[in-house]
Amino acid sequence: MFITAPGLVQFLHPSKVAPRQTHWPAITLALERPWYLLVHQVSFNGKKVSQTSLVAWDHTLLDLLAQIPVGDLSGIARLDRRHDAGPNWALEWIGALWAPGPCEPPALGPLLFKLGDDPQVRNTDLLPVAEAPGRRLLFEASSSRSGGG
């Protein structure tokens, strides 16, 4: 289930929409940029339960990671738009995620990561990035989940 904010209501057929509806059964992925699935634990009625959030922007992912305790993070996956034959979206689990170091150029982007078992650190555009000092580790998948969450 996805929750909208005022002004972000999706266009659905009137037969599918109740007055003042704020919960939707589906979401359309229309951006040509990557999306992220953020899986984390939340407290609900005194229990820890898993919650999955679909995140459209790098900076929004950074904001969420700043608020979620590291121990509650279960996994982060990246959804990339594909333009070849077959499914339009591909999902890959992130093995580690960093904020760039202070000496790295802003054009590098706000996130650096390793995907799955790929040893290369990459930016949001999937371009390889050389090692640099001062990077801050934001997330690292447990070794038992290195291929997925």
Side-chain angles (χ1 to χ4, degrees), residues 47 75 83 89 92 108 124 127 140:
K47 294 182 186 176
H83 296 285
W89 293 89
E92 239 183 308
L108 194 60
T124 303
L127 298 173
E140 186 168 30

Side-chain angles (χ1 to χ4, degrees), residues 37-124:
L37 282 179
L38 175 62
V39 183
H40 59 100
Q41 301 295 312
V42 296
S43 294
F44 179 72
N45 289 335
K47 294 182 186 176
K48 289 277 191 172
V49 295
S50 182
Q51 177 172 301
T52 301
S53 300
L54 182 61
V55 182
W57 304 105
D58 298 342
H59 288 286
T60 304
L61 180 60
L62 285 172
D63 290 345
L64 288 169
L65 290 173
Q67 297 173 29
I68 299 170
V70 174
D72 287 347
L73 292 172
S74 301
I76 304 172
R78 179 180 154 114
L79 285 158
D80 280 300
R81 182 89 168 163
R82 301 288 188 209
H83 296 285
D84 50 355
N88 289 333
W89 293 89
L91 182 134
E92 239 183 308
W93 290 98
I94 293 175
L97 183 76
W98 294 269
C103 63
E104 294 181 284
L108 194 60
L111 298 174
L112 304 173
F113 50 85
K114 288 184 180 181
L115 289 172
D117 295 327
D118 181 4
Q120 180 64 55
V121 176
R122 299 182 182 278
N123 66 7
T124 303

Side-chain angles (χ1 to χ4, degrees), residues 10-18 24:
Q10 296 184 33
F11 296 99
L12 297 176
H13 189 274
S15 67
K16 301 292 183 194
V17 180
W24 305 94

Side-chain angles (χ1 to χ4, degrees), residues 126-140:
L126 297 178
L127 298 173
V129 178
E131 292 296 323
R135 288 184 181 156
R136 187 168 44 100
L137 182 65
L138 302 173
F139 169 77
E140 186 168 30

